[in-house]
Amino acid sequence: MQFNITSQFLHIFSLTFFLIITSSLSQSNQFCDAGTEIPSSKLLIKGGTVVNGHHQQMADVYVEDGIIVAVNPNFRVGDDVTVIDATGKYVLPGGIDPHTHLDMDVGFTATVDDFFSGQAAALAGGTTMHIDFVIPLNGSLTAGFDDYEKKAKKSCMDYGFHMAITKWDETVSREMELMVKEKGINSFKFFMAYKGILMINDELLLKGFKKCKSLGAVAMVHAENGDAVYEGQQKMIELGITGPEGHALSRPAVLEGEATARAIRLADFVNTPLYVVHVMSIDAMEEIAKARKSGQRVIGEPIASGLALDESWLWHPDFDIAAKYVMSPPIRKRGHDKALQAALSTGVLQLVGTDHCAFNSTQKARGIDDFRKMPNGVNGIEERMHLVWDIMVESGQISVTDYVRITSTECAKIFNIYPRKGAILPGSDADIIILNPNSSFEMSAKSHHSRLDTNVYEGRRGKGKIEVTIVGGRVVWENNELKVTPGTGRYIQMPPYSYLFDGLDKKDAIYLNSLQAPVKRAKAST
Amino acid sequence: MQFSITSQFLHIFSLTIFIIITSSLSQSSQFCDAGTEIPSSKLLIKGGTVVNAQHHQIADVYVEDGIIVAVNPNIMVGDDVTVIDATGKYVMPGGIDPHTHLDMDVGFTATVDDFFSGQAAALAGGTTMHIDFVIPLNGSLTAGFEDYEKKAKKSCMDYGFHMVITKWDETVSREMELMVKEKGINSFKFFMAYKGILMINDELLLEGFKKCKSLGAVAMVHAENGDAVYEGQRKMIELGITGPEGHALSRPAVLEGEATARAIRLADFVNTPLYVVHVMSIDAMEEIAKARKAGQRVIGEPIASGLALDESWLWHPDFEIAAKYVMSPPIRKRGHDKALQAALSTGVLQLVGTDHCAFNSTQKARGIDDFRKMPNGVNGIEERMHLVWDIMVESGQISVTDYVRITSTECAKIFNIYPRKGAVLPGSDADIIILNPNSSFEMSAKSHHSRLDTNVYEGRRGKGKIEVTIAGGRVVWENNELKVTPGTGRYIQMPPFSYLFDGLDKKDAIYLNSLQAPVKRAKAST
């Protein structure tokens, strides 16, 4: 996403609450308020193939009061239990989207999907939890957190927060401690792009990494060389290239690869785990593969658009269509998609996000004469689960257990909420989807549930349909109908020190031992 | 291991059943026959940290009739249950060693550990199942299987079989079907080394791979360029290098890398999963990493000696000591060990075997004037679990869950016996170990339970001690004392089509579609 905060807007912003009254729900929304219904708190999902990240089996799933109570074949229940027949279908943990931007204020506008509409869309697509990025408010993490807490009050599904870090000083350092110890945040994002706005240099990146390590929090990076991107943008403008294609041309894959390599090396120097968000290119993926082969704790997150699309759309003669596809890092040339799919299939990359960041046609039109002014972002929160199934499972590249791992389980483990989330096991939250592998889907702005007036997957058809979504034990999506209520979603606190931190203290001790220094020498006599 | 079967021995072998009467149990064995004891069939392991590959938690484990019944905190049981206190310790699935050679006949001699002594050693070291390699008898797979079935009658722990393929014809092809459909074998090993004895060429390797794919069986390769090794051996002899060091010098890492790359490309051409046994070098590991990054289903198995030792011992002036370390592919230079550890830690390599293949000093002395005549192999079946803990967990390179995955769970999944094996879950076989991370171990030929008179890890000390081993619900190792009975182990049939085969049919279909051929053209008029 791109931030263009001019000093004028900053001035206004600091004096006035800039409220954008969003348009009324678009006609494409097809969900109703289920506030007056009281669904059964007991649920039995019968006869499906239950799939976890590590195993699958034919079994029934019994849910009571929002929690999975049992996963066994031939489960018997009384008449007070609602029964869903899942014969011939897969019963999977609901997807967890590690990367979204709902109700994000970029100074001159905000993303069109708020926590209610974005989450409703997610649920219709089989995602039952997401982790959004808190943006500091006036440089304050605490103020930013409070701001997002308010925005999230209308939630209809569970959510968590990552925290973006856009500057560095002692106050930020202390506030990071607060976020981890009191607010349930265990991940911080640093920008290596957006020169002059969000970008931090290597010196500060190192400080941030050290702080993350000391807190047991995951350091995340948006990896693009911001100085070079800036130069690339100037070059395009000078060449008279002002349209959406200039976006891709100004920030080629080599700049993503370079920044990824640099972040990896700095994280290795500090000995802290690293999470590279929205891995869009072969260049970045290769750096991650190299680091992982050396034993380094690096997580790579490709996103739905990078697996499913290619950059050619940016050259489309219709501005509205081309502009839909503008996001950062850019969607790459054909070939990068296949390479990322392959790397994801064997665990070289670990989980799929969306970077859902929805700006409609009129918002994107701001960049009609200068691509640098266009707010960046595409949709994906509703489409991710179906896309990954069609692209990865239907093509035979991964198994169903792999599908569960990369769409749900691995995210829960990285952010330390497994097996409460990301699993269908006794004791897990009843966030469950039922997928019919023999049914089909079609994607369109006319039928999707996001407020966005466009869809980068417009007209895409594929195999595999999520027919039922259950969140917190409530059936919220069934028969192509949503039943969601604002305020029913919960904030999920995420404790520090996930598995990525296991044994780091031992590695540090071994490193210190290996130095064989300071050398003990007799004091020189003078 | 090295096979030197002269025509003379072949002749004798075909006429006579060559039975080597092994020496009586060495003084180093410290186990007693527990045949007259009837242990309780109910067991409760209390208060430990139960670790599975996907999760760990503090819980009790209740076992009845050889099966895990429950894994829950605070399980209450009656007085008829034996209780083991595991407070402060890890309760884990027993190790599964994917690569052993017990009671293997190499023509002029056989490995000193038979199924009883080898398995007893394994149990003392926390391994509760192993998969051995059946060698065909007179070229017949069926005869080989029956031969090994007999050898395994004295088993005291569960075991499975891989089948070695040393030649190719229609009979072998049909017998492979028999092995999979009727004998519970789901993996076949092909040798790319041992020119003139076991080695098969690329044409036959392709035939073998195609057959494996059609059967849902895992194709395994010993990857070394046999022609080049042969040339290397000749070169060393010509240079007057006849000692153990000549073994390493004649088959450098480049020959392992080359064969690994070739096997990978041929398996990709056929589109079948590939399992590379005993990955000993960076060269081989790099090829596997490259293939996996491209989405190919390749499994790499480093072994304990490759992670723990280096080749310098082969240069030892005492022949007996140097000879201990001779195995194939050779133990590599310092540095390869660390690189393999790193690759294993992040899933670039997947599981650890031993290639336990024990020849004692007098057997190895056969090569005193010519290293080519020395039977190859080292010990490891008893040491693997402690070595991996000390090298990988104690150093902070992996977590406890990773430890379980690479020593037990991944093997069970690859060979399609999970979660019966490789897990501490309700319904799993009660093959369980209790590891005390605060205790220590020391390895020695004087105290180990193998019949081998030497130990390649002689004198090695480390952290982490497996204090209890339970196999099939029976406590077989406790208080440094073995209680094992011949005949109590079971043959574990392994069904074909493990997860490695998921979606291969779809990939094939997509490949056929992508050909856009045959091109339909009008028939030329003549």
Side-chain angles (χ1 to χ4, degrees):
Chain A
M1 76 296 310
Q2 180 178 351
F3 296 87
N4 289 313
I5 304 176
T6 63
S7 57
Q8 178 182 339
F9 272 111
L10 271 176
H11 178 71
I12 294 175
F13 190 76
S14 66
L15 293 177
T16 317
F17 284 114
F18 192 91
L19 298 177
I20 299 173
I21 301 173
T22 53
S23 61
S24 62
L25 300 184
S26 81
Q27 293 181 46
S28 66
N29 287 313
Q30 286 175 2
F31 55 89
C32 58
D33 188 320
T36 58
E37 276 186 54
I38 305 171
S40 167
S41 67
K42 297 177 183 175
L43 199 58
L44 181 72
I45 303 166
K46 272 202 76 65
T49 300
V50 177
V51 188
N52 277 300
H54 61 286
H55 188 53
Q56 71 182 51
Q57 60 174 340
M58 300 282 300
D60 301 339
V61 179
Y62 178 61
V63 173
E64 203 171 294
D65 294 334
I67 301 289
I68 294 170
V69 174
V71 182
N72 287 117
N74 306 310
F75 208 82
R76 303 242 184 270
V77 293
D79 289 346
D80 58 333
V81 179
T82 303
V83 178
I84 298 177
D85 181 12
T87 309
K89 300 171 192 180
Y90 291 107
V91 180
L92 316 170
I96 304 176
D97 190 340
H99 194 151
T100 62
H101 298 282
L102 300 183
D103 210 346
M104 180 176 68
D105 191 323
V106 295
F108 56 93
T109 193
T111 53
V112 292
D113 276 318
D114 61 15
F115 276 76
F116 185 67
S117 68
Q119 289 179 357
L123 291 169
T127 286
T128 52
M129 182 181 169
H130 71 114
I131 312 181
D132 213 80
F133 285 86
V134 170
I135 312 296
L137 197 51
N138 300 324
S140 164
L141 310 194
T142 307
F145 183 89
D146 292 345
D147 183 44
Y148 268 74
E149 206 171 22
K150 283 197 204 77
K151 296 186 198 190
K153 282 221 188 303
K154 58 179 79 170
S155 291
C156 53
M157 86 184 187
D158 293 349
Y159 61 95
F161 288 140
H162 310 287
M163 175 67 67
I165 302 292
T166 61
K167 65 174 180 124
W168 188 266
D169 54 36
E170 270 315 300
T171 303
V172 168
S173 179
R174 263 196 317 275
E175 281 197 306
M176 282 174 75
E177 288 179 33
L178 254 167
M179 293 298 110
V180 173
K181 289 172 183 171
E182 297 181 19
K183 304 294 191 186
I185 279 180
N186 69 1
S187 49
F188 295 92
K189 184 183 182 186
F190 302 89
F191 291 85
M192 300 171 80
Y194 303 118
K195 183 181 171 77
I197 306 169
L198 301 171
M199 184 174 128
I200 65 175
N201 62 28
D202 290 355
E203 180 188 355
L204 299 187
L205 192 56
L206 280 167
K207 288 189 190 297
F209 283 0
K210 283 196 291 182
K211 192 67 188 185
C212 283
K213 179 182 178 181
S214 73
L215 295 171
V218 179
M220 307 170 97
V221 289
H222 172 130
E224 276 184 297
N225 186 309
D227 286 311
V229 169
Y230 184 82
E231 188 61 33
Q233 289 173 333
Q234 282 195 260
K235 183 171 154 193
M236 291 307 126
I237 296 296
E238 281 164 20
L239 286 174
I241 299 169
T242 58
E245 70 276 13
H247 179 72
L249 294 168
S250 60
R251 48 207 313 159
V254 66
L255 305 188
E256 186 188 350
E258 184 282 322
T260 301
R262 185 158 31 103
I264 283 169
R265 291 185 174 100
L266 295 180
D268 186 46
F269 178 68
V270 170
N271 187 29
T272 200
L274 179 71
Y275 182 119
V276 183
V277 298
H278 46 50
V279 176
M280 300 295 288
S281 66
I282 292 172
D283 305 55
M285 180 271 286
E286 291 272 346
E287 296 298 338
I288 291 166
K290 200 185 305 179
R292 285 183 61 88
K293 196 202 298 170
S294 303
Q296 198 177 337
R297 316 274 172 92
V298 181
I299 298 290
E301 171 209 90
I303 60 175
S305 58
L307 298 173
L309 302 172
D310 68 73
E311 73 172 9
S312 59
W313 288 98
L314 290 167
W315 272 260
H316 198 284
D318 183 320
F319 175 84
D320 260 19
I321 291 174
K324 280 199 288 186
Y325 295 89
V326 172
M327 65 164 287
S328 292
I331 295 167
R332 305 293 182 189
K333 283 179 167 62
R334 181 183 302 273
H336 288 261
D337 50 346
K338 283 289 191 291
L340 296 176
Q341 290 169 25
L344 181 63
S345 74
T346 48
V348 174
L349 299 173
Q350 287 70 51
L351 76 171
V352 183
T354 62
D355 196 8
H356 181 88
C357 188
F359 295 104
N360 64 27
S361 305
T362 52
Q363 289 170 306
K364 288 224 169 184
R366 187 171 182 271
I368 198 163
D369 290 323
D370 182 348
F371 65 85
R372 296 174 298 181
K373 292 192 163 72
M374 185 183 304
N376 287 198
V378 304
N379 62 290
I381 204 172
E382 184 165 358
E383 292 81 12
R384 180 182 71 122
M385 298 296 282
H386 288 101
L387 286 169
V388 176
W389 182 271
D390 188 53
I391 292 168
M392 300 291 293
V393 181
E394 197 58 29
S395 67
Q397 290 184 84
I398 60 169
S399 63
V400 189
T401 50
D402 286 328
Y403 175 78
V404 166
R405 176 172 56 77
I406 66 179
T407 58
S408 187
T409 306
E410 187 61 26
C411 184
K413 288 185 172 181
I414 290 167
F415 298 108
N416 217 10
I417 49 179
Y418 177 88
R420 177 183 180 188
K421 297 295 192 188
I424 298 187
L425 294 171
S428 300
D429 283 358
D431 291 351
I432 302 168
I433 59 178
I434 301 176
L435 185 146
N436 184 344
N438 298 311
S439 214
S440 301
F441 65 82
E442 181 175 359
M443 296 172 175
S444 175
K446 283 191 278 289
S447 58
H448 73 206
H449 300 79
S450 161
R451 286 179 178 165
L452 190 59
D453 64 341
T454 59
N455 190 317
V456 283
Y457 310 103
E458 186 71 29
R460 185 176 184 118
R461 289 185 174 119
K463 257 326 209 18
K465 180 75 161 75
I466 290 158
E467 298 183 334
V468 178
T469 303
I470 295 156
V471 59
R474 303 182 302 279
V475 177
V476 293
W477 169 254
E478 193 174 27
N479 301 318
N480 285 322
E481 192 174 288
L482 269 173
K483 289 177 272 195
V484 283
T485 308
T488 51
R490 297 169 297 184
Y491 175 58
I492 302 296
Q493 299 219 10
M494 298 184 283
Y497 294 106
S498 78
Y499 81 89
L500 291 171
F501 291 85
D502 284 357
L504 279 196
D505 51 335
K506 291 172 172 172
K507 272 190 163 185
D508 282 336
I510 285 172
Y511 168 72
L512 288 177
N513 272 338
S514 76
L515 297 180
Q516 292 173 46
V519 178
K520 288 181 178 120
R521 302 185 183 93
K523 216 155 257 178
S525 61
T526 57
Chain B
M1 76 295 311
Q2 180 179 351
F3 294 88
S4 301
I5 304 176
T6 64
S7 57
Q8 177 182 339
F9 272 111
L10 272 176
H11 178 71
I12 295 174
F13 190 76
S14 67
L15 293 177
T16 316
I17 294 170
F18 194 92
I19 299 171
I20 300 173
I21 301 173
T22 53
S23 60
S24 62
L25 299 185
S26 80
Q27 293 181 48
S28 67
S29 298
Q30 286 176 4
F31 55 89
C32 57
D33 187 319
T36 58
E37 275 187 54
I38 304 171
S40 167
S41 67
K42 297 176 183 175
L43 200 59
L44 181 72
I45 302 166
K46 274 202 74 65
T49 300
V50 177
V51 187
N52 278 299
Q54 73 276 4
H55 189 53
H56 62 94
Q57 60 173 339
I58 296 193
D60 301 341
V61 179
Y62 178 61
V63 172
E64 202 171 295
D65 295 334
I67 302 288
I68 294 170
V69 175
V71 181
N72 280 311
N74 306 311
I75 297 178
M76 302 304 188
V77 294
D79 289 347
D80 58 333
V81 180
T82 302
V83 178
I84 298 177
D85 181 12
T87 310
K89 300 171 191 181
Y90 293 107
V91 179
M92 299 185 278
I96 304 176
D97 190 340
H99 194 151
T100 62
H101 298 281
L102 300 183
D103 209 347
M104 179 176 68
D105 192 323
V106 296
F108 57 93
T109 193
T111 52
V112 293
D113 277 318
D114 62 14
F115 276 77
F116 185 68
S117 68
Q119 289 179 357
L123 292 169
T127 286
T128 52
M129 181 181 170
H130 71 114
I131 313 180
D132 213 81
F133 286 87
V134 170
I135 313 293
L137 198 51
N138 300 323
S140 164
L141 310 193
T142 308
F145 182 88
E146 283 160 3
D147 182 45
Y148 268 75
E149 209 170 20
K150 283 197 206 77
K151 295 186 199 191
K153 281 216 188 306
K154 59 180 77 171
S155 291
C156 53
M157 85 184 188
D158 293 349
Y159 61 95
F161 287 140
H162 309 287
M163 176 65 67
V164 168
I165 304 293
T166 61
K167 66 175 181 126
W168 188 265
D169 54 35
E170 271 314 300
T171 303
V172 168
S173 179
R174 261 195 319 275
E175 281 197 306
M176 283 174 74
E177 288 179 34
L178 256 167
M179 294 296 110
V180 173
K181 290 173 182 171
E182 296 181 19
K183 304 295 191 187
I185 279 181
N186 69 2
S187 50
F188 295 92
K189 184 183 182 187
F190 303 89
F191 289 86
M192 300 172 79
Y194 303 118
K195 182 181 171 76
I197 307 168
L198 301 171
M199 184 174 129
I200 65 174
N201 62 27
D202 289 355
E203 180 188 355
L204 299 187
L205 192 57
L206 281 166
E207 299 284 353
F209 283 0
K210 285 195 290 180
K211 192 68 189 183
C212 283
K213 179 182 178 181
S214 73
L215 295 171
V218 179
M220 306 170 98
V221 290
H222 171 130
E224 276 184 298
N225 186 309
D227 286 311
V229 169
Y230 185 81
E231 188 61 31
Q233 289 173 333
R234 284 180 67 187
K235 184 171 153 192
M236 291 308 126
I237 297 296
E238 281 164 18
L239 287 173
I241 299 169
T242 58
E245 71 276 12
H247 178 72
L249 294 169
S250 60
R251 47 206 316 157
V254 66
L255 304 188
E256 187 188 351
E258 184 283 322
T260 301
R262 186 158 31 103
I264 282 169
R265 290 184 175 98
L266 295 180
D268 185 46
F269 177 68
V270 170
N271 188 29
T272 200
L274 179 72
Y275 182 119
V276 183
V277 298
H278 45 50
V279 176
M280 300 295 288
S281 66
I282 292 172
D283 305 55
M285 180 271 284
E286 292 272 346
E287 296 298 338
I288 291 166
K290 200 185 304 178
R292 286 183 60 87
K293 195 201 301 169
Q296 199 178 337
R297 316 273 173 93
V298 181
I299 298 289
E301 171 208 272
I303 60 175
S305 58
L307 298 174
L309 302 172
D310 68 72
E311 74 172 7
S312 59
W313 288 99
L314 290 167
W315 271 260
H316 198 284
D318 183 322
F319 173 84
E320 195 156 294
I321 291 174
K324 279 198 291 186
Y325 295 89
V326 172
M327 65 164 287
S328 293
I331 295 167
R332 306 293 181 189
K333 282 179 167 62
R334 181 184 302 273
H336 288 262
D337 50 347
K338 283 288 191 290
L340 296 177
Q341 290 169 25
L344 181 63
S345 74
T346 48
V348 174
L349 299 173
Q350 287 70 50
L351 76 170
V352 183
T354 62
D355 196 6
H356 181 87
C357 188
F359 295 104
N360 64 27
S361 305
T362 52
Q363 289 170 305
K364 289 224 168 184
R366 187 173 182 269
I368 197 164
D369 290 324
D370 182 347
F371 66 86
R372 294 175 298 182
K373 291 193 164 71
M374 187 184 302
N376 287 198
V378 303
N379 62 290
I381 203 172
E382 183 165 359
E383 293 80 13
R384 180 182 71 122
M385 298 296 281
H386 288 101
L387 286 169
V388 176
W389 182 270
D390 188 53
I391 292 167
M392 300 291 292
V393 181
E394 196 58 29
S395 66
Q397 290 184 85
I398 60 169
S399 63
V400 190
T401 50
D402 286 329
Y403 175 78
V404 165
R405 175 171 56 77
I406 67 179
T407 58
S408 186
T409 307
E410 187 61 27
C411 185
K413 287 185 172 182
I414 290 167
F415 298 108
N416 218 10
I417 49 179
Y418 176 87
R420 176 184 181 187
K421 297 296 192 187
V424 179
L425 293 172
S428 300
D429 283 359
D431 290 351
I432 303 168
I433 58 176
I434 301 176
L435 183 145
N436 183 344
N438 298 311
S439 214
S440 301
F441 65 82
E442 181 175 358
M443 295 171 175
S444 175
K446 284 191 278 290
S447 58
H448 74 206
H449 300 78
S450 161
R451 285 178 178 166
L452 190 59
D453 64 341
T454 58
N455 190 318
V456 283
Y457 310 104
E458 187 71 30
R460 186 177 183 118
R461 290 186 174 118
K463 260 320 212 21
K465 180 73 161 74
I466 290 158
E467 297 183 336
V468 178
T469 303
I470 296 155
R474 302 179 303 278
V475 177
V476 293
W477 169 254
E478 193 175 28
N479 300 318
N480 286 322
E481 192 175 288
L482 269 173
K483 288 176 272 194
V484 283
T485 308
T488 50
R490 297 169 298 185
Y491 175 57
I492 303 296
Q493 299 218 10
M494 298 185 282
F497 294 107
S498 78
Y499 82 89
L500 291 171
F501 291 84
D502 284 356
L504 279 196
D505 51 335
K506 291 172 171 173
K507 272 191 163 185
D508 282 336
I510 286 172
Y511 168 73
L512 288 177
N513 273 338
S514 76
L515 297 179
Q516 292 173 46
V519 178
K520 289 183 176 119
R521 301 185 184 94
K523 214 156 258 179
S525 60
T526 55

